[in-house]
Amino acid sequence: MAERIYPGDSPPSSGEHSNPKPAPPSSDKPIPQPGTYVVQIPKDQVYRVPPPENARRYDHLSKRKSSRSTCCRCCCCLLTTILSLLLAAAIAAAVIYLVLKPEAPNYSVESVAIKGFNLTSPSPLSPEFDVTVRADNGNDKIGIYYEKGSSVNVYYQDVNLSNGALPVFYQPTNNVTLFKTALKGSGIELTAASLRSISNDQNKGTVPFTLKLRAPVKIKAGSVKTWKITVKVTCKITVDKLTAASKIVSKDCDYGVDLW
C-alpha cells in the first residue's frame, strides 16, 4: 500500500483556498521531504539480499554446508556397508558352526623318557627328553594338517632344558594319534640353587617340568582348507625320577589357539 505525503497538513480541496495552519509538533519520526513517498510493505514479503561485500562470504558458506552434507552422506553409506558385511560374516560363521559343530582337539603327554641328567658333575648338562604326545581329534567333519615350523620345549622352573619339533602329518576325522618327539639340549648350566632344588625334587619323587608345544595347523572341512592357525599347548607334568624309566606322576594340559 502506498500513501502520498503532501507538504503541510492536508491537500487543498478543489475550488477551495486553504488557509495556512501552524506546523504540527515535532516528533521522533523523521519527516519526509516534500514530493517523496513512504511505501509500507509487510515484513514477510521482504526478501533479504546480502550486500555486495558479503556476497562472496555467503557463497563460500553455502558451498561449505553442501560439502559437509556430502561428507556426512558418504560416512553414513560407509558405516552401513561395514555393518552389513559384519552381519553377513556373523551369519555365515553361525551357519558353519551349526553345520560342522567343531570341537577343540585334546592333547596330553603319555610318557616321558629322560637322559643326560648328571647332577653330581660340574659340567654343563645335555638333557634329552623322549616325549610321547597324544592328539585326539573328535570332529566328524574336520581334519587337521600339522605343518612345518612347530616347536616343543621343556622347562624346569624358567630354564629351557631341551627343544624339538613335531612331525608333519595329517590327522583325519575321529582320530587319535600318538607321536613321539625327541627333545635335546646342550650346554645347559643350572645355578647352584636350581641344582639343589631339582636334586631335592628327585629325592621326593616329584620333579616338575613344563612342556610348551606350538604347532601351525590348517583345518580341513570338506574340500576347504583354512589359513595357518597356531595351536598352543602348555602341559604341567611331574615325573618320579630323571631316568629313561621315569613315570608321570601328574599332568595337566591347557589348550589355546592363535587365529592369525
Side-chain angles (χ1 to χ4, degrees):
M1 185 178 88
E3 183 178 343
R4 180 71 180 268
I5 304 299
Y6 293 90
D9 283 344
S10 60
S13 60
S14 59
E16 184 176 321
H17 183 73
S18 60
N19 295 323
K21 294 182 180 180
S26 62
S27 63
D28 295 337
K29 295 182 179 181
I31 299 175
Q33 296 296 324
T36 59
Y37 294 87
V38 175
V39 180
Q40 297 181 354
I41 302 175
K43 289 185 177 180
D44 56 352
Q45 296 183 10
V46 176
Y47 296 94
R48 299 186 178 274
V49 179
E53 61 271 14
N54 292 337
R56 184 177 299 175
R57 184 180 179 189
Y58 175 79
D59 292 340
H60 174 70
L61 292 176
S62 300
K63 293 178 181 179
R64 194 169 164 188
K65 290 179 181 179
S66 176
S67 63
R68 283 183 181 177
S69 60
T70 304
C71 217
C72 290
R73 284 196 298 269
C74 291
C75 290
C76 290
C77 291
L78 180 61
L79 183 60
T80 303
T81 303
I82 292 175
L83 291 177
S84 300
L85 291 176
L86 290 177
L87 180 60
I91 293 174
V95 171
I96 292 173
Y97 181 83
L98 292 175
V99 172
L100 299 180
K101 296 180 180 179
E103 297 179 7
N106 294 320
Y107 298 92
S108 63
V109 178
E110 294 297 300
S111 64
V112 179
I114 303 173
K115 295 181 291 184
F117 272 94
N118 187 357
L119 301 179
T120 60
S121 173
S123 301
L125 302 176
S126 297
E128 297 181 12
F129 292 78
D130 291 333
V131 180
T132 301
V133 179
R134 183 178 189 267
D136 183 2
N137 178 20
N139 291 283
D140 296 329
K141 301 177 181 179
I142 295 177
I144 303 174
Y145 285 93
Y146 288 83
E147 304 283 333
K148 293 181 180 180
S150 63
S151 65
V152 184
N153 296 274
V154 174
Y155 295 83
Y156 177 77
Q157 296 177 350
D158 293 331
V159 181
N160 187 355
L161 299 176
S162 59
N163 56 78
L166 297 180
V168 177
F169 68 99
Y170 171 71
Q171 186 177 26
T173 61
N174 292 316
N175 175 266
V176 176
T177 300
L178 295 175
F179 48 87
K180 183 178 290 187
T181 178
L183 312 177
K184 296 182 179 181
S186 61
I188 306 300
E189 296 184 1
L190 297 177
T191 62
S194 296
L195 284 172
R196 286 194 301 270
S197 176
I198 198 170
S199 297
N200 293 334
D201 291 338
Q202 182 173 223
N203 293 334
K204 292 184 293 185
T206 55
V207 185
F209 293 105
T210 300
L211 182 143
K212 293 185 178 182
L213 184 153
R214 302 292 183 267
V217 303
K218 289 184 178 181
I219 305 300
K220 181 184 178 184
S223 59
V224 178
K225 188 186 294 186
T226 66
W227 60 93
K228 282 187 179 182
I229 298 171
T230 302
V231 172
K232 303 186 299 181
V233 180
T234 301
C235 294
K236 303 287 186 180
I237 59 175
T238 302
V239 298
D240 59 349
K241 51 191 172 184
L242 301 173
T243 66
S246 62
K247 295 181 180 180
I248 296 177
V249 177
S250 65
K251 56 185 177 180
D252 181 27
C253 293
D254 291 331
Y255 167 82
V257 171
D258 282 341
L259 295 177
W260 313 107

